[in-house]
Amino acid sequence: MVPYQQALVIQGASGSGKTTLLGLMAGLDQSSSGDIELLGEHLTDKNEEQRARVRAGKVGFVFQSFQLVQGATAIQNVMLPLELGGSQDAFELSKKALCEVGLEAKADTMVEQLSGGEQQRVSIARAFAVKPAILFADEPTGNLDAKTGGQIADLMFRLRDQSGTTLVLVTHEQVLAERGDVHVQIESGRLLSVD
Amino acid sequence: MVVATVIAISIVTSSQLVTHRISLLLDRQASELLAADLVLSSGSPISVEYRQQAKASGLKVASTTSMRTAIFIDDEPQLVELKAVSDGYPLRGQLEKASDLTSPGQRVLQGPSAGEVWIDSKLHELIGETITLGNQNFKSNWLLTFEPDRGGALFNLAPRVLMNLKDLAATGLILPGSRVHHRMLFAGNANAVAAFRSQLKPQLSEGETIQDLENARPEMRRALDRTRTFFALSIILTLVIAMVAIAITARYTAGKEAPKVAMLRAFGISQKRLARFYLQQIGKLWGIATIFGIGIGWLSQYPIQWALDGWFGQALPQVYLIQPYLIAAVVGFICLAGFCLPQLLNAASTPPMQVFRPISNRRTFGRNLLVTVAGIIAVFLVLILLMQSSLLAIVTLGMILLVVLILPGLFTLLIRWLLFSNARQFWLKRYLLSRLRSTSRGAILVMSGFSLALLAILIIAVVKEELLAAWQTQLPEDTPNYFLINLAKQDVPLVEEYLSQNQIQYSNPYPLIRTRLTAINNISIKSIQFTDPRAEGLVHHTFNISYTNRLPDDNAIVVGEWIANSQALDQFSVEQGMAEKLGLELGDILSFNVAGETFEAPVTSIRSVVWENFKPNFYLIANPRLVEKKPQTWLLSATIEDSEKPVLKNLFERFPAITPLDVGVLMARVRSIVDRATIALEFFFLFALLSAFIVLLAAIQTGKSERQMESSLLRALSAQSSQLYRVHVFEFTLMGLLVGFFAALFANLAGWIVSVKFFDIEYHFSLSIWLISLVSATAVLTIAGILVSRNVYNVSPMKILRS
């Protein structure tokens, strides 16, 4: 059980199953046994199409390698999940989200032309723009230097505080992990500890 | 890349083999109009030395001797054109004989046997009777209804009598000083004929001339020239598509190699060693692709041969040449060296830092230049290798370069314009455009490549249509099928009246005056050295000069003033081709001799003539005043249906001097050569389509991993299957629209250049090309998008987490 509006941090060695667990919790993958409930919906008996409907407008993602749409601008990347969900004011909401992450001036810049830190901020703006109930982040600072990584972590937690979003983080970074409320340690696909 | 290279080599092998075979067949069919591949003509007996040399070169040889003589019909002398032919005549084509005027003709490969003669249909009343030629009597059981090489001297014919050469000496007709025309005919393997021609040329004595396809019939030569040029263009355009496929796959391979190279270099492997490794790999690839490509190309000629044999009416002749295989291997090497090597050398220079920063290899300007220049050189070398006309090679290269350099820029500009015209909405239109703009997917490169492929196909289609249309316009349904020649001047109005009464369509009558060119600008032609070798044949020929004030149909004044409009007292209008060969310009004085009387006049106009229209056409037309008093006969052309043959018979009975010349058969042959050439062109069209399909596959393959990754991201961002399906299919549809638009734009431009500059035919800009291009490109790419979309939009969103 992930506590509401808190930050759950998943840690473990490489290959221990952190990303698999994150994917299962977010409904990106289907478990072969057991039951996963996301925002009151049981995911196990749902196909990908149905799980996508559960995620729509309620779940956000931040990836280690940003995963922005190349060939598009910063604001277009933020608009994407909003428009996929049928939002009518995607442009205004995206502008506001970029403003929140300090990238208002670079809204019309192609994402390829942004630095790594800026790209991750666009990714965070994209995740928070849909006002998600829960945000899944896979090594969000993994591709950034310590200083930028710290700034990104600050940003994520500040936005979490503002929006009341629940955070689920996979990270190797001890500094980031320490900011979590609940810590889960896994090894070879098994839960070692929860504190 | 291996597959693309194998296909390029297969295309070259197959097209070279089939082109050689079709070309050989077409030449042979055209040779039927000469009854040989090469003809040596002389007014004196031709040395047996030539016969021996030809036999030693492996050629077949036959001889003919022609002369004018008289036969007696009811004690009345009748001038005939006697032709004695050796065994083996005709070496190419067939003779046709019939038992009487109304019976169907029988095709035969051999002339009359000793003791018999075949007679012209004009002499049909002599069938079954004995004909006396000199000291000998001959049975005349057959009418000669077709003689392949008769058209060579279209208007010089008295009724023909054909006999066996063995009987000629016994007739005693050839006396010292007799005007006799000797011809020695040669046929055989194209290379042997060409070699023999070169061997023969320096040995020729005065009065001996060589005639081959190139200087035989102008209408045939032009048809063959255009067909050959079109073959060359079709092959090169097909190959361009294959080269595009190699270039796209090479880029894809190099992109995949870059991270491996970065890792290997980080481990200390030198760039030099990596370059050597890729060189070896390309060498191996070339070896494998050459073996498979030549094998597939060689095998593919058999199903093609099977398909074409029926159409061509006879089997395609075999060619035993190493040249097609060598050319294919060399083209394969050039393609790999020009397209793959620079890309892989570029990959080999991927900085080791890339292992830490997974960014795409940002090539410097120099490296991009290397790739571009190498590609251009490769295309140019292939063009030079495969095209006979270097001018056509240069123009084709220019067009390809123009398209290659301009297209990506146009695509980028258009996409950028559409992308930023309204930024307040991203999904779906602008998202699609951003996908096309993405450099990692190489969509612009793919679109440019596919446009080039479609463009090549469209050019083949457009030029083919124009070429056929040009032929059809020149050969309307009512094209005359008979020339009525040897009309006496006073009979012309009576013949016209007779034809009108019987509702037979006929052309304007034209006079013919047989002359010899003696001097140009008062310099004897014997002392003029002509730069064009074909001029020699022309000046030693008898010229038929006509006179009229009315410019004949399908003639157009290129330079100067037409006779009726010119102020000059006496004047000549010269056909453009003849003017070029003899180097004639306006104002040059031409002197002619008719029956010992000389006359001269300046050239006041140069005309273009549509030789293919089968109407009376003339190299030289004079003003009436200059020549109307000279000895002359008249001719006219007429369209006479089979049902109207009795009318023709009555005409000959009324006007016995008239000789009918059935050009319908000749015309049918020219038509059939064009039809068959068209079939061959369809075959290259299929090759082009196959190559374009490979470009399409390469294009789909190139962007597949990027598409899967984006689908996975969209899935994670909660996109529904329908949204993914739509975006995927629409991406291809949009690509199709853009590709179709630009391909049509450039095809119209290129079609115009090629038609006007190389085929000398009028080009018609048509809207249908836009429609075909847009619809076909959009349909093909959308279908491709639908077919491959399952692999892409069903991808798990977990892929994005694990990337």
Side-chain angles (χ1 to χ4, degrees), chain B residues 330-364:
Chain B
V330 172
V331 166
F333 179 79
I334 294 172
C335 286
L336 285 172
F339 294 112
C340 299
L341 194 60
Q343 294 274 12
L344 287 174
L345 291 181
N346 244 342
S349 66
T350 308
M353 266 303 284
Q354 198 157 301
V355 292
F356 301 113
R357 290 169 61 90
I359 51 165
S360 62
N361 183 12
R362 290 181 190 282
R363 287 175 298 200
T364 61

Side-chain angles (χ1 to χ4, degrees), chain B residues 590-615:
Chain B
L590 302 180
S591 307
F592 287 92
N593 183 299
V594 180
E597 194 186 330
T598 303
F599 61 95
E600 61 179 40
V603 175
T604 54
S605 67
I606 292 174
R607 282 169 297 123
S608 65
V609 172
V610 181
W611 289 104
E612 299 93 327
N613 68 5
F614 285 93
K615 290 178 183 170

Side-chain angles (χ1 to χ4, degrees), chain B residues 33 80 172 195 204 313 320 523 702 766:
Chain B
L33 298 172
V80 295
L204 297 181
Y320 301 99
I523 302 168
T702 304
S766 79

Side-chain angles (χ1 to χ4, degrees), chain B residues 80-95:
Chain B
V80 295
E81 192 84 33
L82 178 67
K83 181 169 168 181
V85 298
S86 70
D87 291 342
Y89 170 88
L91 295 178
R92 299 281 185 222
Q94 294 173 334
L95 292 162

Side-chain angles (χ1 to χ4, degrees), chain B residues 207-473:
Chain B
E208 288 181 338
T209 53
I210 294 179
Q211 205 181 18
D212 63 11
L213 284 178
E214 295 304 314
N215 59 13
R217 301 196 54 82
E219 70 273 15
M220 186 54 60
R221 195 182 64 238
R222 280 182 63 164
L224 287 177
D225 282 352
R226 280 177 178 175
T227 311
R228 282 203 185 112
T229 311
F230 193 83
F231 276 167
L233 184 72
S234 303
I235 293 165
I236 206 70
L237 288 174
T238 309
L239 199 62
V240 162
I241 308 172
M243 288 194 276
V244 168
I246 295 175
I248 290 178
T249 49
R251 184 186 173 277
Y252 174 67
T253 309
K256 290 195 90 160
E257 287 297 299
K260 293 181 204 165
V261 168
M263 188 190 69
L264 289 168
R265 288 190 68 189
F267 289 156
I269 308 281
S270 73
Q271 192 178 334
K272 212 171 175 180
R273 196 170 150 190
L274 284 164
R276 209 166 45 231
F277 168 76
Y278 284 123
L279 268 173
Q280 285 168 354
Q281 292 300 307
I282 284 184
K284 284 180 196 166
L285 195 154
W286 179 54
I288 294 166
T290 302
I291 292 167
F292 281 97
I294 285 179
I296 293 169
W298 183 79
L299 283 173
S300 72
Q301 64 172 324
Y302 287 98
I304 294 160
Q305 178 191 351
W306 176 79
L308 292 183
D309 275 357
W311 286 328
F312 277 87
Q314 55 180 285
L316 288 178
Q318 281 290 350
V319 284
Y320 301 99
L321 298 169
I322 195 154
Q323 190 192 359
Y325 307 104
L326 270 179
I327 289 178
V330 172
V331 166
F333 179 79
I334 294 172
C335 286
L336 285 172
F339 294 112
C340 299
L341 194 60
Q343 294 274 12
L344 287 174
L345 291 181
N346 244 342
S349 66
T350 308
M353 266 303 284
Q354 198 157 301
V355 292
F356 301 113
R357 290 169 61 90
I359 51 165
S360 62
N361 183 12
R362 290 181 190 282
R363 287 175 298 200
T364 61
F365 175 75
R367 284 178 191 165
N368 276 324
L369 198 67
L370 171 75
V371 170
T372 313
V373 170
I376 292 169
I377 292 173
V379 173
F380 187 67
L381 287 177
V382 170
L383 287 170
I384 289 289
L385 195 65
L386 294 181
M387 286 186 140
Q388 290 159 351
S389 156
S390 56
L391 179 66
L392 184 55
I394 290 165
V395 171
T396 312
L397 177 72
M399 289 196 297
I400 293 169
L401 276 183
L402 189 77
V403 174
V404 166
L405 295 176
I406 286 181
L407 257 185
L410 285 177
F411 277 128
T412 310
L413 279 176
L414 189 69
I415 291 168
R416 193 170 284 183
W417 176 65
L418 291 169
L419 198 59
F420 290 102
S421 58
N422 175 8
R424 294 183 73 85
Q425 198 188 355
F426 184 51
W427 185 265
L428 170 71
K429 194 172 88 182
R430 272 166 201 84
Y431 174 73
L432 281 172
L433 291 167
S434 74
R435 282 167 78 114
L436 296 189
R437 196 175 173 276
S438 159
T439 47
S440 62
R441 183 185 275 110
I444 290 188
L445 182 82
V446 164
M447 283 195 290
S448 303
F450 199 74
S451 297
L452 199 60
L454 181 63
L455 172 62
I457 290 173
L458 288 176
I459 293 175
I460 296 174
V462 165
V463 179
K464 191 187 78 181
E465 288 306 313
E466 291 292 337
L467 211 56
L468 283 182
W471 266 92
Q472 275 152 10
T473 337

